[in-house]
């Protein structure tokens, strides 16, 4: 097997026929044996039926089906676990990542790069909120992360077998794949592309899911938030010393000023309370993740594994 295409699918019944058509066009011009791994992430619509039909029509299409919705990153992880190709390409199932770009990714791989990621130059027809929060987040992450995670790249990429093997061996549960991919290293390069609008259906990444992914990215790749608590604490200590000085000053020179009374105390109490709560929250983010890792549950449960040969099924 030369190429594996890993595609997570969650309630994409309206996109699947078009996805199939466009993949077909691309697979026909590929120069080696290829497989498509569709990972059904617990869809509640007709996606799984359609996927089954595709498999019947074309044996190059194999699929995994989760027993429930586990999320995009987990779906990609499962696909990578099962991929047999020498080269693995990950793309979204909503046609926002144009399959026609795959030959370009492969050309770069031929030049000797082990990771070729697609970098968005433009996001067409995505909401203002999504674009602006993504813009800020990627830049913040670049500043804070201890690895160089390129901006404006999603999971659309090509990975060589050696990178996929390492990724598969990583036991961590919080899988911020674009970060792990950067962490692994090797020769990496970008291809610029314009992100198409979604072909059909609604965005499956709700704001809450995107926010959770952003926190995962930050916490998995940066200890700066932990240190932030220390910095804010130090800052609060300085402020309280300053306030003490002010109180003394007012006591001596303006004995009747209301500022020397309750107001200043309440302010100090609120400020310190806020600092403590934020710090506890940050600790919680990290400890919660330690707890998740320690439990050591499997990442996903599979209801169906079809098309991978008898051994794996
Ligand atoms: N997806 C998934 N599980 C989820 C949410 C999304 O497998 O819980 C898939 C979805 O079917 C699509 C891809 O992940 O193929 C990207 O989702 P979406 O287009 O909603 O996200 P966006 O492109 O806005 O980041
Ligand atoms: Mg999308």
């Amino acid at each position: 097997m030369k190429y594996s295409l890993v595609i997570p699918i969650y309630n994409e019944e309206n996109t699947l026929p078009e996805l199939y058509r466009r993949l077909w066009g691309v697979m026909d011009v590929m120069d080696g044996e290829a497989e498509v791994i569709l990972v059904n992430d617990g869809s509640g619509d007709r996606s799984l039926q359609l996927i089954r039909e595709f498999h019947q029509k074309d044996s190059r299409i194999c699929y995994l089906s989760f027993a429930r919705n586990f999320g995009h990153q987990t779906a990609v992880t499962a696909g990578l676990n099962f991929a047999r190709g020498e080269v693995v390409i990950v793309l979204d199932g909503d046609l926002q990542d144009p399959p026609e770009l795959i030959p370009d990714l492969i050309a770069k791989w031929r030049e000797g790069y082990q990771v070729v990621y697609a970098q968005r130059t433009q996001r067409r027809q995505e909401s203002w909120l999504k674009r602006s929060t993504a813009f800020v987040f990627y830049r913040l992450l670049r500043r804070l992360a201890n690895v160089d995670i390129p901006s404006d790249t999603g999971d659309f990429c090509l990975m060589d077998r050696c990178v996929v093997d390492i990724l598969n061996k990583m036991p961590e549960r919080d899988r911020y794949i674009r970060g792990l991919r950067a962490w692994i290293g090797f020769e990496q390069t970008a291809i610029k592309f314009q992100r198409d609008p979604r072909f059909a259906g609604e965005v499956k990444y709700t704001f809450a899911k995107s926010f959770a992914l952003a926190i995962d990215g930050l916490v998995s790749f940066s200890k700066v938030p932990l240190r932030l608590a220390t910095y804010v604490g130090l800052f609060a200590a300085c402020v309280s010393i300053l306030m003490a000085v002010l109180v003394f000053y007012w006591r001596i020179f303006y004995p009747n000023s209301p500022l020397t009374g309750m107001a200043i105390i309440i302010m100090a109490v609120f400020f310190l309370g806020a600092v403590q709560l934020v710090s506890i929250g940050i600790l919680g983010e990290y400890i919660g993740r330690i707890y998740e890792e320690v439990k050591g549950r499997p990442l996903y449960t599979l209801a169906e594994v079809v098309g991978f040969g008898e051994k794996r099924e």
Side-chain angles (χ1 to χ4, degrees):
M1 186 72 65
K2 187 126 194 211
Y3 302 110
S4 299
L5 272 53
V6 171
I7 311 178
I9 301 292
Y10 178 52
N11 293 345
E12 304 283 6
E13 60 178 358
N14 296 323
T15 319
L16 276 167
E18 177 69 7
L19 178 70
Y20 180 74
R21 199 184 64 75
R22 281 178 59 183
L23 281 178
W24 211 66
V26 173
M27 296 222 315
D28 277 359
V29 299
M30 280 183 166
D31 62 335
E33 209 188 331
E35 65 176 356
V36 175
I37 303 177
L38 298 173
V39 185
N40 172 39
D41 185 11
S43 300
D45 63 359
R46 288 182 53 252
S47 298
L48 183 58
Q49 274 139 281
L50 289 172
I51 293 172
R52 287 198 189 112
E53 281 167 30
F54 296 160
H55 171 69
Q56 309 249 290
K57 274 194 265 183
D58 188 337
S59 62
R60 292 175 299 180
I61 295 186
C62 21
Y63 65 92
L64 305 168
S65 184
F66 283 173
R68 65 169 174 87
N69 178 253
F70 280 93
H72 174 231
Q73 300 289 302
T74 310
V76 173
T77 303
L80 293 176
N81 290 159
F82 278 80
R84 293 166 290 185
E86 209 182 306
V87 174
V88 182
I89 296 137
V90 178
L91 62 156
D92 276 0
D94 59 356
L95 290 170
Q96 279 198 286
D97 303 335
E100 291 73 22
L101 204 70
I102 293 174
D104 297 349
L105 297 175
I106 294 173
K108 281 279 178 200
W109 173 72
R110 289 247 150 74
E111 284 174 27
Y113 294 100
Q114 279 82 36
V115 174
V116 188
Y117 52 84
Q119 196 163 30
R120 313 180 266 258
T121 52
Q122 216 183 2
R123 296 164 156 247
R124 278 187 256 168
Q125 283 176 25
E126 282 186 300
S127 72
W128 177 85
L129 184 70
K130 178 143 194 164
R131 273 179 297 145
S132 52
T133 46
F135 183 87
V136 172
F137 166 70
Y138 282 116
R139 272 133 199 100
L140 182 72
L141 184 65
R142 264 184 83 79
R143 293 228 123 196
L144 299 186
N146 49 13
V147 282
D148 190 12
I149 302 174
S151 299
D152 303 320
T153 56
D155 292 322
F156 186 18
C157 71
L158 173 151
M159 288 179 277
D160 187 87
R161 174 51 44 194
C162 65
V163 175
V164 176
D165 283 343
I166 297 172
L167 207 52
N168 284 341
K169 283 207 194 92
M170 290 185 165
E172 60 192 277
R173 313 183 49 79
D174 271 312
R175 301 190 80 82
Y176 188 66
I177 293 173
R178 51 201 85 161
L180 297 174
R181 184 180 75 205
W183 181 89
I184 290 173
F186 292 102
E187 293 296 322
Q188 308 212 352
T189 188
I191 272 197
K192 306 258 189 229
F193 82 116
Q194 292 198 348
R195 195 149 207 239
D196 289 335
R198 209 167 213 294
F199 177 75
E202 305 254 292
V203 178
K204 307 302 180 306
Y205 255 97
T206 53
F207 190 75
K209 272 189 184 176
S210 298
F211 190 72
L213 183 68
I215 299 281
D216 273 349
L218 277 178
V219 173
S220 307
F221 287 93
S222 176
K223 289 199 213 75
V224 176
L226 277 177
R227 221 166 287 147
L228 203 69
T230 318
Y231 293 149
V232 178
L234 281 176
F235 174 73
C238 294
V239 171
S240 53
I241 290 171
L242 202 75
M243 279 196 292
V245 172
L246 275 180
V247 169
F248 271 115
Y249 177 78
W250 272 311
R251 261 282 138 86
I252 295 162
F253 296 100
Y254 308 95
N256 295 326
S257 165
L259 268 174
T260 54
M262 287 297 276
I264 206 159
I265 293 171
I266 290 177
M267 205 181 75
V269 167
F270 265 72
F271 180 66
L272 284 178
V275 168
Q276 288 182 0
L277 285 179
V278 169
S279 311
I280 293 171
I282 294 171
L283 280 180
E285 286 292 333
Y286 286 85
I287 292 173
R289 278 167 177 72
I290 296 171
Y291 180 54
E292 283 300 319
E293 301 287 344
V294 166
K295 278 192 287 190
R297 285 189 193 144
L299 270 172
Y300 48 84
T301 49
L302 288 167
E304 267 179 75
V305 178
V306 178
F308 295 90
E310 259 165 40
K311 216 175 111 213
R312 308 209 67 170
E313 288 166 25

